[in-house]
Amino acid sequence: MESAIKAGKCQTYKLKHAYHPKPRRGLPIRNGHLLVEEGEDTVKGSSYVRAIGGGIDFGETAEIALRREFREELGLELIDVWLLGVVENFFEYEGRPGHQIAHVFAVESTDIDSIALDAQLHILDEGSPVRWINIEQLNKPLYPEGADALLQVWLESSKPRRT
Protein backbone atom coordinates (compact mmCIF):
# COMPACT_ATOMS: atom_id res chain seq x y z
CA MET A 1 0.00 0.00 0.00
CA GLU A 2 2.88 2.36 0.77
CA SER A 3 4.11 2.08 -2.82
CA ALA A 4 0.58 2.76 -4.09
CA ILE A 5 0.44 5.92 -2.00
CA LYS A 6 3.83 7.06 -3.29
CA ALA A 7 2.70 6.38 -6.85
CA GLY A 8 -0.43 8.48 -6.29
CA LYS A 9 -2.75 5.56 -7.04
CA CYS A 10 -4.86 5.81 -3.87
CA GLN A 11 -8.06 7.83 -3.79
CA THR A 12 -9.77 9.49 -0.85
CA TYR A 13 -13.45 8.64 -0.46
CA LYS A 14 -15.99 10.76 1.37
CA LEU A 15 -17.70 8.41 3.82
CA LYS A 16 -21.44 8.60 4.41
CA HIS A 17 -21.06 7.17 7.90
CA ALA A 18 -18.80 7.50 10.90
CA TYR A 19 -16.15 4.79 11.15
CA HIS A 20 -13.96 4.74 14.20
CA PRO A 21 -11.77 1.68 13.72
CA LYS A 22 -9.60 1.77 16.81
CA PRO A 23 -10.75 3.97 19.66
CA ARG A 24 -9.29 3.46 23.11
CA ARG A 25 -11.51 3.76 26.18
CA GLY A 26 -10.54 3.75 29.85
CA LEU A 27 -12.65 3.01 32.92
CA PRO A 28 -11.27 4.75 36.05
CA ILE A 29 -12.98 3.35 39.17
CA ARG A 30 -12.88 4.72 42.72
CA ASN A 31 -15.06 4.06 45.75
CA GLY A 32 -17.85 2.51 43.68
CA HIS A 33 -17.76 5.38 41.16
CA LEU A 34 -16.76 5.48 37.50
CA LEU A 35 -15.23 8.57 35.83
CA VAL A 36 -17.08 9.08 32.53
CA GLU A 37 -17.65 11.56 29.74
CA GLU A 38 -21.26 12.68 29.35
CA GLY A 39 -22.90 13.10 25.97
CA GLU A 40 -26.18 13.55 24.18
CA ASP A 41 -27.62 12.45 20.85
CA THR A 42 -29.77 15.44 19.89
CA VAL A 43 -31.51 13.55 17.07
CA LYS A 44 -32.67 10.79 19.42
CA GLY A 45 -33.11 13.18 22.34
CA SER A 46 -31.20 10.83 24.64
CA SER A 47 -28.22 11.19 26.92
CA TYR A 48 -25.49 8.68 27.64
CA VAL A 49 -22.14 8.26 29.37
CA ARG A 50 -19.00 7.06 27.67
CA ALA A 51 -15.71 5.62 28.79
CA ILE A 52 -12.98 8.25 28.44
CA GLY A 53 -10.57 8.01 25.54
CA GLY A 54 -10.33 8.52 21.82
CA GLY A 55 -8.65 7.41 18.63
CA ILE A 56 -5.30 5.96 17.79
CA ASP A 57 -2.52 7.58 15.82
CA PHE A 58 -0.60 5.58 13.25
CA GLY A 59 2.14 3.52 14.89
CA GLU A 60 0.70 3.62 18.41
CA THR A 61 -0.18 0.59 20.47
CA ALA A 62 -3.56 0.50 22.17
CA GLU A 63 -1.97 1.26 25.54
CA ILE A 64 0.16 4.15 24.29
CA ALA A 65 -2.88 5.70 22.57
CA LEU A 66 -4.95 5.42 25.75
CA ARG A 67 -2.24 7.05 27.85
CA ARG A 68 -1.91 9.88 25.29
CA GLU A 69 -5.68 10.42 25.20
CA PHE A 70 -5.91 10.77 29.00
CA ARG A 71 -3.01 13.29 28.89
CA GLU A 72 -4.56 15.30 26.03
CA GLU A 73 -8.17 15.16 27.18
CA LEU A 74 -7.82 15.57 30.95
CA GLY A 75 -4.15 16.35 31.65
CA LEU A 76 -3.84 13.08 33.62
CA GLU A 77 -1.08 10.49 33.69
CA LEU A 78 -2.02 6.82 33.99
CA ILE A 79 0.01 4.49 36.23
CA ASP A 80 -1.41 1.11 35.20
CA VAL A 81 -3.79 -0.12 32.54
CA TRP A 82 -5.41 -3.52 32.04
CA LEU A 83 -7.08 -4.52 28.80
CA LEU A 84 -10.55 -5.76 29.72
CA GLY A 85 -11.60 -6.63 26.18
CA VAL A 86 -12.33 -5.49 22.66
CA VAL A 87 -15.87 -4.64 21.55
CA GLU A 88 -17.26 -3.99 18.09
CA ASN A 89 -20.36 -1.87 17.62
CA PHE A 90 -22.61 -0.77 14.80
CA PHE A 91 -24.64 2.21 15.94
CA GLU A 92 -26.44 5.38 14.97
CA TYR A 93 -25.38 8.75 16.37
CA GLU A 94 -26.86 12.11 15.40
CA GLY A 95 -28.78 10.35 12.63
CA ARG A 96 -25.68 8.84 11.03
CA PRO A 97 -24.70 5.16 11.11
CA GLY A 98 -21.36 4.34 12.71
CA HIS A 99 -19.00 1.43 13.22
CA GLN A 100 -16.50 1.18 16.04
CA ILE A 101 -13.96 -1.34 17.29
CA ALA A 102 -12.91 -0.30 20.79
CA HIS A 103 -10.27 -1.56 23.20
CA VAL A 104 -11.65 -1.11 26.73
CA PHE A 105 -9.21 -0.78 29.63
CA ALA A 106 -9.37 -0.52 33.39
CA VAL A 107 -7.00 2.26 34.45
CA GLU A 108 -5.26 3.50 37.60
CA SER A 109 -3.80 6.92 38.27
CA THR A 110 -2.86 8.93 41.34
CA ASP A 111 -3.97 11.98 39.33
CA ILE A 112 -7.44 10.44 38.96
CA ASP A 113 -7.49 9.43 42.64
CA SER A 114 -7.07 13.09 43.58
CA ILE A 115 -10.23 14.17 41.71
CA ALA A 116 -13.06 14.81 44.16
CA LEU A 117 -16.14 12.63 43.63
CA ASP A 118 -18.27 15.78 43.17
CA ALA A 119 -15.88 17.42 40.67
CA GLN A 120 -17.21 18.72 37.35
CA LEU A 121 -14.47 18.41 34.71
CA HIS A 122 -14.39 18.96 30.95
CA ILE A 123 -12.48 17.35 28.08
CA LEU A 124 -9.71 19.87 27.37
CA ASP A 125 -9.81 19.79 23.58
CA GLU A 126 -13.60 19.83 23.05
CA GLY A 127 -15.39 20.68 26.30
CA SER A 128 -17.54 17.58 26.94
CA PRO A 129 -18.46 17.25 30.63
CA VAL A 130 -16.70 14.58 32.71
CA ARG A 131 -17.78 13.46 36.17
CA TRP A 132 -17.86 10.57 38.61
CA ILE A 133 -21.05 8.48 38.59
CA ASN A 134 -22.09 5.90 41.16
CA ILE A 135 -21.84 2.56 39.35
CA GLU A 136 -24.84 1.12 41.18
CA GLN A 137 -27.00 4.12 40.20
CA LEU A 138 -26.01 4.20 36.53
CA ASN A 139 -29.24 4.96 34.68
CA LYS A 140 -27.91 5.91 31.24
CA PRO A 141 -26.34 3.73 28.55
CA LEU A 142 -22.56 3.28 28.96
CA TYR A 143 -20.70 3.36 25.65
CA PRO A 144 -19.05 1.74 23.91
CA GLU A 145 -21.73 -0.92 24.01
CA GLY A 146 -20.33 -3.90 25.88
CA ALA A 147 -18.21 -1.77 28.23
CA ASP A 148 -20.75 -2.31 31.02
CA ALA A 149 -20.30 -6.11 30.83
CA LEU A 150 -16.50 -5.73 30.84
CA LEU A 151 -16.78 -3.37 33.82
CA GLN A 152 -18.89 -5.92 35.72
CA VAL A 153 -16.36 -8.71 35.08
CA TRP A 154 -13.59 -6.38 36.27
CA LEU A 155 -15.47 -5.49 39.46
CA GLU A 156 -16.11 -9.16 40.23
CA SER A 157 -12.50 -10.19 39.56
CA SER A 158 -9.67 -10.35 42.04
CA LYS A 159 -7.49 -8.04 39.94
CA PRO A 160 -5.91 -5.10 41.76
CA ARG A 161 -7.76 -1.80 41.80
CA ARG A 162 -7.92 1.20 44.06
CA THR A 163 -10.86 1.53 46.42
Side-chain angles (χ1 to χ4, degrees):
M1 181 157 170
E2 186 176 323
S3 60
I5 292 171
K6 287 181 181 176
K9 295 179 182 176
C10 291
Q11 297 180 14
T12 302
Y13 296 94
K14 188 172 184 180
L15 298 177
K16 294 182 180 179
H17 64 279
Y19 176 63
H20 307 284
K22 298 179 182 173
R24 306 296 174 252
R25 299 288 170 192
L27 298 171
I29 301 166
R30 191 175 97 219
N31 296 334
H33 290 74
L34 178 65
L35 190 65
V36 294
E37 178 182 345
E38 295 183 290
E40 182 178 355
D41 185 324
T42 59
V43 172
K44 292 179 184 174
S46 62
S47 59
Y48 60 87
V49 293
R50 179 170 61 184
I52 298 167
I56 186 170
D57 290 340
F58 182 77
E60 288 182 315
T61 65
E63 181 180 332
I64 289 171
L66 181 73
R67 291 176 182 277
R68 176 184 50 76
E69 287 291 342
F70 267 78
R71 253 190 325 275
E72 289 176 1
E73 293 187 355
L74 293 171
L76 304 173
E77 294 295 330
L78 299 178
I79 295 173
D80 286 315
V81 300
W82 295 271
L83 179 64
L84 300 180
V86 179
V87 296
E88 182 172 17
N89 291 292
F90 294 92
F91 58 93
E92 187 173 298
Y93 176 70
E94 294 295 338
R96 294 179 58 201
H99 179 207
Q100 177 182 75
I101 300 168
H103 291 73
V104 180
F105 293 85
V107 302
E108 279 193 359
S109 166
T110 53
D111 290 344
I112 291 171
D113 290 345
S114 68
I115 299 171
L117 291 178
D118 62 352
Q120 297 291 316
L121 308 173
H122 291 87
I123 298 293
L124 296 175
D125 60 355
E126 50 127 311
S128 294
V130 173
R131 68 180 180 95
W132 290 105
I133 57 166
N134 185 311
I135 295 169
E136 291 182 6
Q137 297 173 354
L138 180 60
N139 60 2
K140 297 178 183 179
L142 172 62
Y143 295 126
E145 189 174 315
D148 53 349
L150 294 172
L151 173 63
Q152 191 60 41
V153 169
W154 174 252
L155 292 172
E156 293 171 359
S157 76
S158 59
K159 292 184 177 160
R161 70 181 163 275
R162 294 173 194 251
T163 56

